[in-house]
Amino acid sequence: MAFTLPPLGYAFDALEPHIDAMTMQIHHDKHHQAYVDNLNKALAGTEGENKSLEELMANISKYPAAVRNNGGGHYNHSLFWTCLSGQTTQPSAELAAAIDAAFGNLDGLKEKMSTAGATRFGSGWAWLTLTDGKLTVSSTPNQDNPLMDIAEVKGAPILGIDVWEHAYYLHYQNRRPDYLKAIWNVINWDVVSANYAAAK
Ligand code: MN
């Protein structure tokens, strides 16, 4: 079974003015589609062809770089789209309590995760994971993620934030910190809370 591009689930302009429609369209239809196509190409005719994305991630050190880069790209973006919303949402009581315990309060999480994204040199991702039973912030280079056996900080991804230039450059140019400030206006806390509940 070949991997396929999941639909965005909302309109390209749903996250305006924080993330512009053109960025969303190119990001989803071109960048994510390319990760899916190149992952399928890299796996065609190999033993990895019938593995789930999660199985691939857990054993990624045994696969070629094309599977690591494009498999990570497919997993990361599939999660990312669902973690965004044009609607105003709040963390569940359960997630809010865990955030308070780990980071003091929600602003503490935002600051820690934005810093992780802003200080990631080059391209990569900022992550909130459940790691050894605790909410943890980390970042990865390129399209790596915390499910990969090679990740410095492993865990169940609760929220991932794309800090590749293609995620913000049309609107924010070189101002990655401004993008990382704005994105908190469009986080889908319903989905992030569900991810936390599932990871527990
Ligand atoms: Mn991206």
Side-chain angles (χ1 to χ4, degrees):
M1 269 297 284
F3 292 104
T4 56
L5 180 70
L8 191 56
Y10 42 83
F12 294 124
D13 65 0
L15 310 180
E16 295 261 13
H18 307 292
I19 303 181
D20 64 282
M22 178 74 84
T23 293
M24 290 301 292
Q25 184 167 7
I26 296 171
H27 200 172
H28 178 269
D29 288 6
K30 305 294 184 190
H31 288 278
H32 191 172
Q33 182 72 64
Y35 295 125
V36 170
D37 293 345
N38 289 324
L39 175 62
N40 288 331
K41 216 178 290 176
L43 290 173
T46 74
E47 64 83 37
E49 202 169 25
N50 298 309
K51 303 283 192 206
S52 71
L53 208 44
E54 287 75 13
E55 287 174 312
L56 292 172
M57 298 298 104
N59 299 287
I60 205 68
S61 60
K62 301 186 181 75
Y63 289 92
V67 176
R68 176 172 169 177
N69 293 335
N70 294 292
H74 180 36
Y75 176 87
N76 297 349
H77 289 85
S78 298
L79 174 71
F80 185 54
W81 309 133
T82 66
C83 290
L84 300 176
S85 168
Q87 314 293 317
T88 301
T89 56
Q90 301 296 330
S92 66
E94 186 189 36
L95 177 59
I99 287 172
D100 290 351
F103 310 107
N105 52 39
L106 185 57
D107 282 342
L109 165 65
K110 291 177 183 178
E111 190 184 331
K112 191 155 190 197
M113 208 164 163
S114 295
T115 299
T119 55
R120 165 54 55 188
F121 185 78
S123 299
W125 289 75
W127 297 101
L128 176 65
T129 57
L130 191 65
T131 298
D132 300 329
K134 285 179 62 181
L135 285 179
T136 303
V137 166
S138 65
S139 77
T140 55
N142 305 312
Q143 295 295 355
D144 289 358
N145 66 50
L147 291 179
M148 292 183 173
D149 59 359
I150 45 82
E152 237 172 82
V153 177
K154 297 181 189 63
I158 307 295
L159 167 63
I161 297 179
D162 191 344
V163 299
W164 281 58
E165 283 187 345
H166 68 223
Y168 61 84
Y169 208 86
L170 289 181
H171 186 72
Y172 294 96
Q173 293 83 47
N174 62 318
R175 302 186 309 277
R176 188 190 288 185
D178 289 357
Y179 156 74
L180 284 168
K181 196 170 177 188
I183 201 164
W184 295 106
N185 293 303
V186 291
I187 295 298
N188 188 337
W189 290 107
D190 293 341
V191 166
V192 177
S193 299
N195 292 344
Y196 175 66
K200 279 193 78 182

